[in-house]
Amino acid sequence: MDDAVREEILDGTYRALCAHGYADLTIQDIAAETDRSKSLVHYYFESKGELIDAFLTYLYDRYTDYIGEERGETTRENLTSLLERLLDGDDSERLRTALLEVKAQAPYDESIREHLVEFDAALFERLRELVAAGVESGEFDAAVDPSRTAECLTAAVHGARTQRTALGRRRYHADETLTEYVDTYLVADGGREAAH
Amino acid sequence: MDDAVREEILDGTYRALCAHGYADLTIQDIAAETDRSKSLVHYYFESKGELIDAFLTYLYDRYTDYIGEERGETTRENLTSLLERLLDGDDSERLRTALLEVKAQAPYDESIREHLVEFDAALFERLRELVAAGVESGEFDAAVDPSRTAECLTAAVHGARTQRTALGRRRYHADETLTEYVDTYLVADGGREAAH
């Protein structure tokens, strides 16, 4: 099989998910996004399940690159810019809706579940790494526990993204709230002590 | 219509959702849970959409009672016991899976979306009220902002519940993590200052 064609089909899957969502997605929709025939898509991926499996691997590579980007000068800036991008990013609303549908299928589908565990672990590990780097450099308070803090932040990011997708608007200013959390509770000599 | 019969059908819907999930739920399944005929269920609720609408109102009443319970002696105990029940409660895994499926339908269904906004607002308001009561009584630090804190906690609760349902196990010890958050960051003269 030709890796370039495979990649082209996965690019088409990305566009088709943005256009049609997950539940109604057909191989025909994907073929239409690639200018390739339906039978060629079937040649590469025998079932929708196999295609979604490959697509989640494809998405995972992009996700780890995305969360690994360092857009700030300091660890605090790298952390808050990551939280802002995750919570208020310009990723397609339809793709987020499609991924919520995929997530709702996870309890029934072990392959999807395994992929989602990897996404989750990658985000947790990236957040833990950033918090630990901030503690190490003295930017964050020495009493901050990187693992516990990363667990809280991972849960809050998942919750804020899910609610935003499901409720169709940003119920809270989650990006501002988590930035304030970082400034108040993590940054050494931050807001809380200033209040004393 | 008879309110007792209506309630009986909604009780049956609860049991049917626990047994069959949301996607595959039929009026027949609900009738089977109630010892009533399918046509009687149809007489009360013309469509699955109408039934789910009524069911979410039924569930909302139970939810607000549940999150309003005061199980501790102090505000801190009331808050941590609520977080523990939300994150590690004994509610049916199948019901949680069914509700995640309902959530994934929200972007397509305004009625579901409106219900979920109400659930979300009730949880936020309850958490805000508890944090504010703790600040008022001096149990929590005077610098804690009840609204911001409630936003963080609401997002973290949603995220931890969704991940637990989707990933099929408790990826993190979310209840312990959030209890530690309360003790470290909210409780007056809590963990952080002790570390200095």
Side-chain angles (χ1 to χ4, degrees), chain A residues 15-26 29-30 33 94 101, chain B residues 108:
Chain A
R15 291 190 297 274
L17 277 171
C18 293
H20 304 283
Y22 172 72
D24 296 334
L25 186 74
T26 65
D29 296 328
I30 294 162
E33 291 287 344
R94 287 212 179 202
E101 290 173 86
Chain B
Y108 304 105

Side-chain angles (χ1 to χ4, degrees), chain A residues 42-102:
Chain A
H42 272 300
Y43 175 72
Y44 279 80
F45 302 101
E46 282 188 10
S47 65
K48 187 173 165 185
E50 209 174 290
L51 180 65
I52 291 299
D53 187 50
F55 179 72
L56 289 173
T57 302
Y58 160 102
L59 207 61
Y60 179 79
D61 291 342
R62 276 149 192 75
Y63 184 70
T64 50
D65 288 349
Y66 182 77
I67 64 178
E69 281 174 31
E70 310 222 318
R71 299 211 184 167
E73 298 288 312
T74 63
T75 302
R76 182 200 156 279
E77 284 172 12
N78 284 329
L79 178 59
T80 54
S81 120
L82 174 60
L83 294 171
E84 277 163 21
R85 281 181 291 138
L86 288 167
L87 297 175
D88 196 26
D90 52 4
D91 48 339
S92 148
E93 192 177 320
R94 287 212 179 202
L95 183 66
R96 279 188 278 110
T97 300
L99 291 176
L100 179 57
E101 290 173 86
V102 170

